[in-house]
Amino acid sequence: MSLNKMQTLLENIGKQAQISSKILANVETDKKNQALLHIANSLEKREAEILQANQKDLVSGKEKGLSNALMDRLLLTEKRIKGMADNLRDIAKLEDPIGEVVEKWRRPNGLEISKIRVPLGVIGIIYESRPNVTIDAAALCLKAGNAVILRGGSEAFHSNQILTTIAREALTEIDLPADLINLIPTTDRLAVQVMLKLRKYINLLIPRGGAGLIQMVVENSSIPVIETGVGNCHIYVDETADLMMALKIIKNSKVQRPGVCNAMETLLVHQEIAEEFLPLLAETLWKAGVELRCCMKSFNILDKIYSPIKKILPAEETDWETEYLDLILAVKIVMNIDETLNHIAQYGTSHSEAIITQDFQRSREFQKHVDAAVVYVNASTRFTDGSQFGMGGEIGISTQKLHARGPMGLKELTSTKYLIFGEGQIRK
């Protein structure tokens, strides 16, 4: 498609989304909840169509050689479709943030000032692989009073098409504008370049995907951007840790779903427990199919025991900064908490970090000094998720500090405005 045709296509989508967002801004909460519930029911009723479309994407993904982790992100099942529908129902139960009075006060001159939540307007989302993001993002934007323009990855194009078609049809069936939910109807990469310049129509851009995608959006967008998702997440096992607890948390953080941003990528182990703990760790993770990329100290410990096993390799410098999104784990022995904090500061991505310890003061030190959106004590990093935080889902995990940080739920998809009530006051 030519640049002019692409600009015309996306500007039309932007105009209609903007018009629809102004309508939605004045829609009552009950109507928005009705829309969410209707979309949920429609997804379940049309499950066969969704699975059929998803199968096309899975076949194409296999032909393109997508990794097992990426194929898992792409996969839709009956259970995952039900999960999307249940998330919609959960979001419908949440309190509507629009109109909430954040603060209210009266000035000495008698002016009454209120700060209230209002919609952002039109939110653009650029994302990869996971078709469930299509529904989660649309639902959260809708409940927070925003229209959404979605640009999913080409690998999930058929899945995203049927999901947005079902959602748009459900909206029209209850007399809401279909253009509250929009999918850019092409896999042409030119569409992203044009979308990044639609400042006139899009109020906020949220990229969800790998570091390359996020960097490209940040560097080229004329629209405000919230950075999300890149998760080089660490777990530090302190010398006082309960080792059985540590094994359970580490396995869950790495193995349960390795292809997501809150999966652990690097393990840091205190030198005082390394000889005892690392063989237990290797045995546990090897059975789960995890490859270990070890610093020389940890490699020397494990190589003596597991030398025939090819899943234990020496680490390279790049391993400390890599978000694998796969069954690969970097392992490093550290001398103390200071080395741990320095390592995380150098290689972390401000997503999710965890310490396993029985020392309360050590846990407080870790939480105080680690600069990340979410900092855990004795828990899996896999909990960094809007639904796990009671938000009914999230539109992304913000790793920056402006406007929003961590899982972005309904309140993070709003702005504010001030309402002033006076009695004839004038400024002197």
Side-chain angles (χ1 to χ4, degrees), residues 258-315:
V260 293
C261 63
N262 58 20
M264 175 184 62
E265 303 291 17
T266 299
L267 176 67
L268 304 172
V269 179
H270 194 285
Q271 62 182 0
E272 293 297 322
I273 60 167
E275 291 275 359
E276 177 185 3
F277 181 66
L278 288 177
L280 298 174
L281 172 84
E283 186 72 23
T284 298
L285 294 186
W286 173 61
K287 290 178 180 178
V290 179
E291 176 182 296
L292 302 181
R293 307 274 181 91
C294 299
C295 71
M296 287 313 300
K297 289 182 181 179
S298 57
F299 181 79
N300 289 335
I301 291 172
L302 295 174
D303 191 47
K304 290 184 292 187
I305 306 171
Y306 298 106
S307 56
I309 299 173
K310 303 301 182 184
K311 288 185 178 293
I312 300 173
L313 302 170

Short mmCIF file of all heavy atoms in Angstrom, two decimals, residues 258-315:
data_model
loop_
_atom_site.label_atom_id
_atom_site.label_comp_id
_atom_site.label_asym_id
_atom_site.label_seq_id
_atom_site.Cartn_x
_atom_site.Cartn_y
_atom_site.Cartn_z
N PRO A 258 7.44 -19.28 30.56
CA PRO A 258 8.71 -18.57 30.33
C PRO A 258 8.63 -17.47 29.30
O PRO A 258 9.50 -16.59 29.27
CB PRO A 258 9.65 -19.68 29.86
CG PRO A 258 8.75 -20.75 29.33
CD PRO A 258 7.52 -20.70 30.17
N GLY A 259 7.63 -17.47 28.44
CA GLY A 259 7.57 -16.51 27.34
C GLY A 259 6.90 -15.19 27.67
O GLY A 259 6.50 -14.47 26.76
N VAL A 260 6.77 -14.85 28.96
CA VAL A 260 6.12 -13.60 29.34
C VAL A 260 7.10 -12.69 30.08
O VAL A 260 8.12 -13.15 30.60
CB VAL A 260 4.87 -13.86 30.20
CG1 VAL A 260 3.79 -14.55 29.37
CG2 VAL A 260 5.21 -14.72 31.41
N CYS A 261 6.75 -11.41 30.15
CA CYS A 261 7.70 -10.42 30.64
C CYS A 261 7.98 -10.51 32.13
O CYS A 261 8.99 -9.98 32.60
CB CYS A 261 7.25 -9.00 30.27
SG CYS A 261 5.68 -8.50 31.03
N ASN A 262 7.12 -11.17 32.91
CA ASN A 262 7.38 -11.25 34.35
C ASN A 262 8.05 -12.57 34.75
O ASN A 262 8.16 -12.88 35.93
CB ASN A 262 6.09 -11.03 35.15
CG ASN A 262 4.99 -12.02 34.80
OD1 ASN A 262 5.24 -13.07 34.24
ND2 ASN A 262 3.75 -11.66 35.12
N ALA A 263 8.49 -13.34 33.75
CA ALA A 263 9.27 -14.54 34.05
C ALA A 263 10.69 -14.14 34.46
O ALA A 263 11.25 -13.18 33.94
CB ALA A 263 9.31 -15.46 32.84
N MET A 264 11.28 -14.88 35.39
CA MET A 264 12.65 -14.61 35.82
C MET A 264 13.63 -14.96 34.71
O MET A 264 13.49 -15.97 34.02
CB MET A 264 12.98 -15.44 37.06
CG MET A 264 14.42 -15.32 37.51
SD MET A 264 14.84 -16.39 38.90
CE MET A 264 14.54 -17.99 38.21
N GLU A 265 14.66 -14.11 34.53
CA GLU A 265 15.69 -14.36 33.53
C GLU A 265 17.07 -14.57 34.15
O GLU A 265 17.92 -15.21 33.54
CB GLU A 265 15.75 -13.20 32.53
CG GLU A 265 14.44 -12.91 31.81
CD GLU A 265 14.02 -13.98 30.82
OE1 GLU A 265 14.55 -15.11 30.89
OE2 GLU A 265 13.15 -13.70 29.98
N THR A 266 17.32 -14.00 35.33
CA THR A 266 18.63 -14.13 35.98
C THR A 266 18.45 -14.47 37.45
O THR A 266 17.64 -13.86 38.15
CB THR A 266 19.44 -12.82 35.87
OG1 THR A 266 19.66 -12.51 34.50
CG2 THR A 266 20.80 -12.98 36.55
N LEU A 267 19.25 -15.45 37.91
CA LEU A 267 19.26 -15.85 39.32
C LEU A 267 20.59 -15.43 39.94
O LEU A 267 21.66 -15.74 39.41
CB LEU A 267 19.08 -17.36 39.45
CG LEU A 267 19.17 -17.92 40.87
CD1 LEU A 267 17.98 -17.43 41.70
CD2 LEU A 267 19.22 -19.44 40.85
N LEU A 268 20.52 -14.74 41.06
CA LEU A 268 21.69 -14.34 41.82
C LEU A 268 21.69 -15.11 43.14
O LEU A 268 20.67 -15.13 43.85
CB LEU A 268 21.67 -12.84 42.08
CG LEU A 268 21.56 -11.96 40.82
CD1 LEU A 268 21.37 -10.50 41.19
CD2 LEU A 268 22.79 -12.13 39.93
N VAL A 269 22.81 -15.76 43.47
CA VAL A 269 22.89 -16.63 44.65
C VAL A 269 24.05 -16.19 45.53
O VAL A 269 25.18 -16.01 45.05
CB VAL A 269 23.08 -18.11 44.23
CG1 VAL A 269 23.17 -19.00 45.46
CG2 VAL A 269 21.94 -18.56 43.32
N HIS A 270 23.78 -16.02 46.83
CA HIS A 270 24.83 -15.63 47.77
C HIS A 270 25.89 -16.73 47.85
O HIS A 270 25.56 -17.93 47.90
CB HIS A 270 24.23 -15.36 49.15
CG HIS A 270 25.16 -14.65 50.07
ND1 HIS A 270 26.22 -15.27 50.68
CD2 HIS A 270 25.20 -13.34 50.46
CE1 HIS A 270 26.87 -14.39 51.43
NE2 HIS A 270 26.27 -13.21 51.31
N GLN A 271 27.14 -16.34 47.90
CA GLN A 271 28.25 -17.29 47.86
C GLN A 271 28.25 -18.27 49.04
O GLN A 271 28.73 -19.40 48.91
CB GLN A 271 29.58 -16.54 47.82
CG GLN A 271 29.86 -15.67 49.02
CD GLN A 271 31.18 -14.91 48.90
OE1 GLN A 271 31.88 -15.04 47.91
NE2 GLN A 271 31.51 -14.11 49.92
N GLU A 272 27.67 -17.86 50.18
CA GLU A 272 27.68 -18.72 51.36
C GLU A 272 26.82 -19.97 51.19
O GLU A 272 27.04 -20.97 51.88
CB GLU A 272 27.21 -17.93 52.59
CG GLU A 272 28.15 -16.83 53.02
CD GLU A 272 29.51 -17.35 53.45
OE1 GLU A 272 29.56 -18.43 54.09
OE2 GLU A 272 30.52 -16.70 53.13
N ILE A 273 25.83 -19.92 50.32
CA ILE A 273 24.94 -21.08 50.15
C ILE A 273 25.07 -21.72 48.78
O ILE A 273 24.37 -22.69 48.46
CB ILE A 273 23.46 -20.68 50.38
CG1 ILE A 273 23.03 -19.60 49.38
CG2 ILE A 273 23.25 -20.22 51.82
CD1 ILE A 273 21.55 -19.37 49.34
N ALA A 274 25.96 -21.21 47.94
CA ALA A 274 26.04 -21.66 46.54
C ALA A 274 26.36 -23.16 46.42
O ALA A 274 25.73 -23.88 45.64
CB ALA A 274 27.09 -20.84 45.79
N GLU A 275 27.34 -23.65 47.20
CA GLU A 275 27.73 -25.07 47.11
C GLU A 275 26.57 -26.00 47.44
O GLU A 275 26.42 -27.05 46.83
CB GLU A 275 28.91 -25.33 48.05
CG GLU A 275 30.21 -24.67 47.62
CD GLU A 275 31.00 -25.50 46.62
OE1 GLU A 275 30.54 -26.60 46.27
OE2 GLU A 275 32.07 -25.04 46.19
N GLU A 276 25.77 -25.60 48.41
CA GLU A 276 24.62 -26.42 48.81
C GLU A 276 23.43 -26.25 47.89
O GLU A 276 22.77 -27.22 47.52
CB GLU A 276 24.22 -26.07 50.25
CG GLU A 276 22.99 -26.83 50.75
CD GLU A 276 22.54 -26.39 52.13
OE1 GLU A 276 23.14 -25.44 52.69
OE2 GLU A 276 21.56 -26.98 52.63
N PHE A 277 23.18 -25.01 47.49
CA PHE A 277 21.93 -24.71 46.78
C PHE A 277 21.98 -25.02 45.29
O PHE A 277 21.00 -25.52 44.72
CB PHE A 277 21.57 -23.24 47.00
CG PHE A 277 20.28 -22.84 46.33
CD1 PHE A 277 19.07 -23.36 46.75
CD2 PHE A 277 20.28 -21.94 45.27
CE1 PHE A 277 17.87 -23.01 46.13
CE2 PHE A 277 19.10 -21.57 44.65
CZ PHE A 277 17.89 -22.11 45.08
N LEU A 278 23.08 -24.71 44.64
CA LEU A 278 23.11 -24.82 43.18
C LEU A 278 22.87 -26.25 42.65
O LEU A 278 22.16 -26.41 41.66
CB LEU A 278 24.42 -24.26 42.63
CG LEU A 278 24.54 -22.73 42.69
CD1 LEU A 278 25.91 -22.28 42.19
CD2 LEU A 278 23.44 -22.07 41.87
N PRO A 279 23.41 -27.29 43.27
CA PRO A 279 23.07 -28.64 42.79
C PRO A 279 21.58 -28.95 42.90
O PRO A 279 21.00 -29.59 42.01
CB PRO A 279 23.90 -29.56 43.71
CG PRO A 279 25.06 -28.72 44.11
CD PRO A 279 24.50 -27.34 44.28
N LEU A 280 20.95 -28.49 43.98
CA LEU A 280 19.50 -28.68 44.12
C LEU A 280 18.75 -27.94 43.02
O LEU A 280 17.80 -28.45 42.42
CB LEU A 280 19.03 -28.17 45.49
CG LEU A 280 19.61 -28.85 46.73
CD1 LEU A 280 19.16 -28.11 47.99
CD2 LEU A 280 19.19 -30.31 46.78
N LEU A 281 19.21 -26.72 42.76
CA LEU A 281 18.60 -25.90 41.71
C LEU A 281 18.73 -26.57 40.35
O LEU A 281 17.75 -26.68 39.59
CB LEU A 281 19.26 -24.53 41.69
CG LEU A 281 18.85 -23.63 40.51
CD1 LEU A 281 17.56 -22.92 40.83
CD2 LEU A 281 19.96 -22.64 40.17
N ALA A 282 19.95 -27.01 40.02
CA ALA A 282 20.19 -27.61 38.71
C ALA A 282 19.33 -28.85 38.50
O ALA A 282 18.75 -29.05 37.42
CB ALA A 282 21.68 -27.96 38.57
N GLU A 283 19.23 -29.66 39.54
CA GLU A 283 18.42 -30.88 39.43
C GLU A 283 16.96 -30.53 39.17
O GLU A 283 16.29 -31.13 38.31
CB GLU A 283 18.55 -31.70 40.72
CG GLU A 283 17.86 -33.05 40.68
CD GLU A 283 18.58 -34.05 39.80
OE1 GLU A 283 19.79 -33.89 39.56
OE2 GLU A 283 17.92 -34.99 39.32
N THR A 284 16.44 -29.55 39.90
CA THR A 284 15.04 -29.14 39.75
C THR A 284 14.77 -28.56 38.36
O THR A 284 13.80 -28.94 37.70
CB THR A 284 14.68 -28.09 40.82
OG1 THR A 284 14.82 -28.68 42.11
CG2 THR A 284 13.25 -27.60 40.65
N LEU A 285 15.62 -27.65 37.93
CA LEU A 285 15.38 -26.97 36.66
C LEU A 285 15.73 -27.84 35.46
O LEU A 285 15.12 -27.71 34.39
CB LEU A 285 16.15 -25.66 36.61
CG LEU A 285 15.70 -24.60 37.62
CD1 LEU A 285 16.43 -23.28 37.39
CD2 LEU A 285 14.19 -24.37 37.57
N TRP A 286 16.73 -28.71 35.59
CA TRP A 286 17.07 -29.60 34.49
C TRP A 286 15.88 -30.50 34.15
O TRP A 286 15.55 -30.71 32.99
CB TRP A 286 18.30 -30.45 34.86
CG TRP A 286 18.61 -31.51 33.84
CD1 TRP A 286 18.93 -31.32 32.53
CD2 TRP A 286 18.60 -32.92 34.05
NE1 TRP A 286 19.13 -32.53 31.91
CE2 TRP A 286 18.94 -33.54 32.82
CE3 TRP A 286 18.35 -33.72 35.16
CZ2 TRP A 286 19.03 -34.92 32.68
CZ3 TRP A 286 18.45 -35.10 35.01
CH2 TRP A 286 18.77 -35.68 33.79
N LYS A 287 15.21 -31.01 35.18
CA LYS A 287 14.03 -31.86 34.95
C LYS A 287 12.92 -31.08 34.24
O LYS A 287 12.09 -31.67 33.55
CB LYS A 287 13.51 -32.41 36.28
CG LYS A 287 14.43 -33.44 36.90
CD LYS A 287 13.89 -33.91 38.25
CE LYS A 287 14.81 -34.94 38.88
NZ LYS A 287 14.32 -35.39 40.23
N ALA A 288 12.91 -29.77 34.43
CA ALA A 288 11.89 -28.92 33.79
C ALA A 288 12.33 -28.43 32.41
O ALA A 288 11.63 -27.65 31.78
CB ALA A 288 11.56 -27.73 34.69
N GLY A 289 13.52 -28.86 31.98
CA GLY A 289 13.98 -28.51 30.64
C GLY A 289 14.69 -27.18 30.54
O GLY A 289 14.85 -26.63 29.44
N VAL A 290 15.15 -26.63 31.66
CA VAL A 290 15.79 -25.31 31.67
C VAL A 290 17.29 -25.44 31.41
O VAL A 290 17.97 -26.26 32.04
CB VAL A 290 15.56 -24.59 33.00
CG1 VAL A 290 16.26 -23.22 33.01
CG2 VAL A 290 14.06 -24.43 33.26
N GLU A 291 17.79 -24.61 30.51
CA GLU A 291 19.23 -24.50 30.28
C GLU A 291 19.81 -23.42 31.18
O GLU A 291 19.26 -22.32 31.25
CB GLU A 291 19.50 -24.16 28.81
CG GLU A 291 20.97 -23.93 28.48
CD GLU A 291 21.15 -23.56 27.02
OE1 GLU A 291 20.84 -24.41 26.16
OE2 GLU A 291 21.59 -22.42 26.75
N LEU A 292 20.92 -23.70 31.85
CA LEU A 292 21.56 -22.74 32.74
C LEU A 292 22.79 -22.13 32.07
O LEU A 292 23.64 -22.85 31.54
CB LEU A 292 21.97 -23.41 34.05
CG LEU A 292 20.86 -24.10 34.86
CD1 LEU A 292 21.42 -24.69 36.14
CD2 LEU A 292 19.72 -23.14 35.16
N ARG A 293 22.88 -20.81 32.11
CA ARG A 293 24.06 -20.08 31.62
C ARG A 293 24.76 -19.52 32.86
O ARG A 293 24.29 -18.54 33.46
CB ARG A 293 23.64 -18.95 30.68
CG ARG A 293 22.72 -19.38 29.52
CD ARG A 293 23.50 -19.87 28.34
NE ARG A 293 22.59 -20.25 27.25
CZ ARG A 293 22.18 -19.43 26.29
NH1 ARG A 293 22.57 -18.16 26.30
NH2 ARG A 293 21.39 -19.87 25.32
N CYS A 294 25.87 -20.14 33.27
CA CYS A 294 26.44 -19.90 34.58
C CYS A 294 27.71 -19.06 34.55
O CYS A 294 28.55 -19.22 33.66
CB CYS A 294 26.77 -21.24 35.24
SG CYS A 294 25.34 -22.32 35.48
N CYS A 295 27.86 -18.20 35.57
CA CYS A 295 29.15 -17.53 35.80
C CYS A 295 30.18 -18.62 36.08
O CYS A 295 29.84 -19.77 36.38
CB CYS A 295 29.05 -16.54 36.95
SG CYS A 295 28.90 -17.31 38.58
N MET A 296 31.48 -18.29 36.02
CA MET A 296 32.49 -19.32 36.16
C MET A 296 32.45 -20.02 37.51
O MET A 296 32.65 -21.23 37.60
CB MET A 296 33.88 -18.72 35.91
CG MET A 296 34.15 -18.39 34.44
SD MET A 296 33.69 -19.73 33.28
CE MET A 296 34.71 -21.08 33.85
N LYS A 297 32.14 -19.27 38.58
CA LYS A 297 32.07 -19.89 39.90
C LYS A 297 30.95 -20.92 39.96
O LYS A 297 31.14 -22.04 40.44
CB LYS A 297 31.85 -18.83 40.97
CG LYS A 297 33.06 -17.94 41.24
CD LYS A 297 32.75 -16.94 42.35
CE LYS A 297 33.93 -16.03 42.63
NZ LYS A 297 33.62 -15.03 43.69
N SER A 298 29.78 -20.55 39.48
CA SER A 298 28.65 -21.48 39.52
C SER A 298 28.85 -22.62 38.51
O SER A 298 28.47 -23.77 38.77
CB SER A 298 27.33 -20.74 39.25
OG SER A 298 27.35 -20.06 38.02
N PHE A 299 29.48 -22.32 37.37
CA PHE A 299 29.75 -23.37 36.39
C PHE A 299 30.69 -24.41 36.96
O PHE A 299 30.50 -25.62 36.79
CB PHE A 299 30.34 -22.77 35.11
CG PHE A 299 30.62 -23.78 34.04
CD1 PHE A 299 29.61 -24.28 33.25
CD2 PHE A 299 31.92 -24.26 33.84
CE1 PHE A 299 29.86 -25.23 32.25
CE2 PHE A 299 32.19 -25.21 32.87
CZ PHE A 299 31.16 -25.69 32.07
N ASN A 300 31.72 -23.96 37.67
CA ASN A 300 32.69 -24.90 38.24
C ASN A 300 32.03 -25.80 39.29
O ASN A 300 32.36 -26.98 39.40
CB ASN A 300 33.86 -24.13 38.87
CG ASN A 300 34.74 -23.50 37.81
OD1 ASN A 300 34.78 -23.96 36.67
ND2 ASN A 300 35.45 -22.45 38.19
N ILE A 301 31.09 -25.24 40.06
CA ILE A 301 30.38 -26.06 41.04
C ILE A 301 29.54 -27.13 40.36
O ILE A 301 29.57 -28.30 40.74
CB ILE A 301 29.49 -25.17 41.94
CG1 ILE A 301 30.33 -24.29 42.85
CG2 ILE A 301 28.51 -26.02 42.76
CD1 ILE A 301 29.53 -23.25 43.61
N LEU A 302 28.80 -26.73 39.33
CA LEU A 302 27.86 -27.64 38.68
C LEU A 302 28.52 -28.57 37.69
O LEU A 302 28.09 -29.72 37.50
CB LEU A 302 26.75 -26.84 37.99
CG LEU A 302 25.84 -26.05 38.94
CD1 LEU A 302 24.88 -25.19 38.16
CD2 LEU A 302 25.08 -27.00 39.87
N ASP A 303 29.58 -28.13 37.06
CA ASP A 303 30.24 -28.95 36.03
C ASP A 303 30.83 -30.22 36.64
O ASP A 303 30.87 -31.27 35.99
CB ASP A 303 31.32 -28.12 35.34
CG ASP A 303 31.86 -28.83 34.10
OD1 ASP A 303 31.03 -29.30 33.30
OD2 ASP A 303 33.09 -28.90 33.94
N LYS A 304 31.26 -30.13 37.88
CA LYS A 304 31.82 -31.31 38.55
C LYS A 304 30.76 -32.39 38.74
O LYS A 304 31.06 -33.58 38.72
CB LYS A 304 32.39 -30.91 39.92
CG LYS A 304 33.64 -30.05 39.86
CD LYS A 304 34.18 -29.78 41.25
CE LYS A 304 33.27 -28.89 42.06
NZ LYS A 304 33.87 -28.49 43.36
N ILE A 305 29.52 -31.95 38.89
CA ILE A 305 28.44 -32.90 39.18
C ILE A 305 27.69 -33.30 37.91
O ILE A 305 27.34 -34.47 37.72
CB ILE A 305 27.44 -32.26 40.17
CG1 ILE A 305 28.18 -31.77 41.41
CG2 ILE A 305 26.35 -33.26 40.56
CD1 ILE A 305 27.32 -30.94 42.34
N TYR A 306 27.47 -32.34 37.04
CA TYR A 306 26.60 -32.56 35.88
C TYR A 306 27.35 -32.39 34.56
O TYR A 306 26.77 -31.97 33.57
CB TYR A 306 25.44 -31.57 35.91
CG TYR A 306 24.55 -31.72 37.13
CD1 TYR A 306 24.60 -30.78 38.16
CD2 TYR A 306 23.69 -32.80 37.25
CE1 TYR A 306 23.79 -30.92 39.28
CE2 TYR A 306 22.88 -32.94 38.36
CZ TYR A 306 22.93 -32.00 39.37
OH TYR A 306 22.14 -32.14 40.48
N SER A 307 28.63 -32.69 34.52
CA SER A 307 29.41 -32.44 33.32
C SER A 307 28.84 -33.06 32.04
O SER A 307 29.01 -32.49 30.96
CB SER A 307 30.86 -32.92 33.52
OG SER A 307 30.88 -34.28 33.88
N PRO A 308 28.15 -34.23 32.09
CA PRO A 308 27.61 -34.77 30.83
C PRO A 308 26.39 -33.99 30.31
O PRO A 308 25.99 -34.17 29.17
CB PRO A 308 27.20 -36.20 31.20
CG PRO A 308 27.80 -36.46 32.54
CD PRO A 308 27.92 -35.14 33.20
N ILE A 309 25.81 -33.17 31.17
CA ILE A 309 24.56 -32.52 30.80
C ILE A 309 24.84 -31.24 30.02
O ILE A 309 25.52 -30.34 30.51
CB ILE A 309 23.71 -32.20 32.05
CG1 ILE A 309 23.36 -33.50 32.77
CG2 ILE A 309 22.42 -31.45 31.66
CD1 ILE A 309 22.68 -33.29 34.10
N LYS A 310 24.34 -31.18 28.82
CA LYS A 310 24.63 -30.03 27.96
C LYS A 310 23.82 -28.79 28.33
O LYS A 310 24.03 -27.73 27.77
CB LYS A 310 24.35 -30.40 26.49
CG LYS A 310 25.13 -31.60 25.98
CD LYS A 310 26.64 -31.40 26.10
CE LYS A 310 27.40 -32.59 25.54
NZ LYS A 310 28.85 -32.46 25.71
N LYS A 311 22.91 -28.94 29.28
CA LYS A 311 22.06 -27.81 29.64
C LYS A 311 22.74 -26.87 30.65
O LYS A 311 22.12 -25.95 31.16
CB LYS A 311 20.72 -28.29 30.20
CG LYS A 311 19.81 -28.86 29.13
CD LYS A 311 18.45 -29.22 29.70
CE LYS A 311 17.52 -29.74 28.62
NZ LYS A 311 17.16 -28.71 27.64
N ILE A 312 24.00 -27.12 30.96
CA ILE A 312 24.75 -26.24 31.85
C ILE A 312 25.95 -25.70 31.07
O ILE A 312 26.85 -26.45 30.69
CB ILE A 312 25.22 -26.97 33.11
CG1 ILE A 312 23.99 -27.49 33.89
CG2 ILE A 312 26.05 -26.05 34.00
CD1 ILE A 312 24.33 -28.36 35.07
N LEU A 313 25.93 -24.40 30.80
CA LEU A 313 26.94 -23.77 29.94
C LEU A 313 27.54 -22.56 30.63
O LEU A 313 26.91 -21.93 31.48
CB LEU A 313 26.30 -23.34 28.62
CG LEU A 313 25.60 -24.42 27.79
CD1 LEU A 313 24.83 -23.77 26.65
CD2 LEU A 313 26.62 -25.41 27.26
N PRO A 314 28.78 -22.18 30.26
CA PRO A 314 29.35 -20.94 30.78
C PRO A 314 28.59 -19.73 30.23
O PRO A 314 28.22 -19.71 29.04
CB PRO A 314 30.80 -20.97 30.27
CG PRO A 314 31.04 -22.37 29.83
CD PRO A 314 29.72 -22.92 29.41
N ALA A 315 28.37 -18.75 31.08
CA ALA A 315 27.67 -17.54 30.64
C ALA A 315 28.62 -16.61 29.91
O ALA A 315 29.83 -16.58 30.17
CB ALA A 315 27.07 -16.82 31.85
#
